[in-house]
Amino acid sequence: MDQNSIIKSYKRVSSIYDYTFGKVFKPGQKTLIEKMNCNDNDSVLEIGIGTGSSLQYYPQKTKVVGIDISPDMLKIADKKIKDNNSNNKTIAMMNGEELCFSDNTFDKVVAMYVISVTHNPERLIHEMKRVCKEDGDIFIVNHFSCDTDNLFVRAFEKALMPVSKILGWKPYFPYTEFNSYANLDVQEISKVNIFDYWNIIHASNNK
Ligand SMILES: C[S@@+](CC[C@H](N)C(=O)[O-])C[C@H]1O[C@@H](n2cnc3c(N)ncnc32)[C@H](O)[C@@H]1O
């Protein structure tokens, strides 16, 4: 999916996102941010922050920068930040595949439900590693297709692939393929959300 298709998809869903997909994704956001164990001095980059629905789960004092390529999703995030007077939380329109941050900037870098949406996930992972401090932490929530999945589920995901532009994400996203280029130093993988359909990955940024 190219960048324009992603922006168009999220323009369509931005106004209903928090009441639909956003509701399904909330447990994963909350669990992942608990696992991040942020302290007051941490600087966090959240890639693909969307409507900013995760912001409520970070400790008040933790500095979080959220970026996204969708102006429509960011407009909703901006309202949340203003309504809550969240001084330590900022957002910017930026492509996660070409981050405007220096190397080794953030203690923790996180991408929730973004890896199977972005045009080039390999490029996005490369950027996550680059801007994360050495020995910092990388966190991901995403659905990954596995060989052990139910055959019906796998066939269904593959059948949906031709309409991935309309859906706004790639339903069939094999973990083995992702891991072959991501090459993450995985510390933990756990399952989350309805039917345990999504995975939380915690990796160390050993460069
Ligand atoms: C499924 S939504 C998830 C939003 C949010 N992370 C959440 O947990 O609700 C995917 C988001 O990723 C954003 N996105 C996709 N590709 C991106 C990229 N290359 N850089 C920045 N944001 C991206 C989309 O615009 C959208 O807001």
Side-chain angles (χ1 to χ4, degrees), residues 6 10 17 25 29 46 48-50 53 67-70 73 94-97 112-114 117-118 124:
I6 297 168
Y10 285 93
Y17 185 88
F25 293 162
Q29 294 174 333
E46 188 176 324
I49 186 129
S53 54
I67 65 109
D68 204 288
I69 46 165
S70 163
M73 296 290 269
M94 203 184 290
N95 183 353
E97 296 178 19
M112 304 196 216
Y113 315 105
V114 179
V117 175
T118 195
L124 189 108

Side-chain angles (χ1 to χ4, degrees), residues 73-123:
M73 296 290 269
L74 282 178
K75 207 186 286 175
I76 297 170
D78 188 44
K79 184 169 183 319
K80 286 194 181 95
I81 291 173
K82 287 188 176 134
D83 286 352
N84 295 314
N85 269 328
S86 310
N87 298 330
N88 299 315
K89 315 292 186 270
T90 53
I91 49 169
M93 193 150 70
M94 203 184 290
N95 183 353
E97 296 178 19
E98 289 171 50
L99 293 170
C100 309
F101 301 109
S102 311
D103 299 359
N104 303 308
T105 301
F106 297 95
D107 298 296
K108 291 166 183 168
V109 181
V110 53
M112 304 196 216
Y113 315 105
V114 179
I115 301 293
S116 57
V117 175
T118 195
H119 174 64
N120 183 340
E122 183 170 0
R123 183 80 209 142

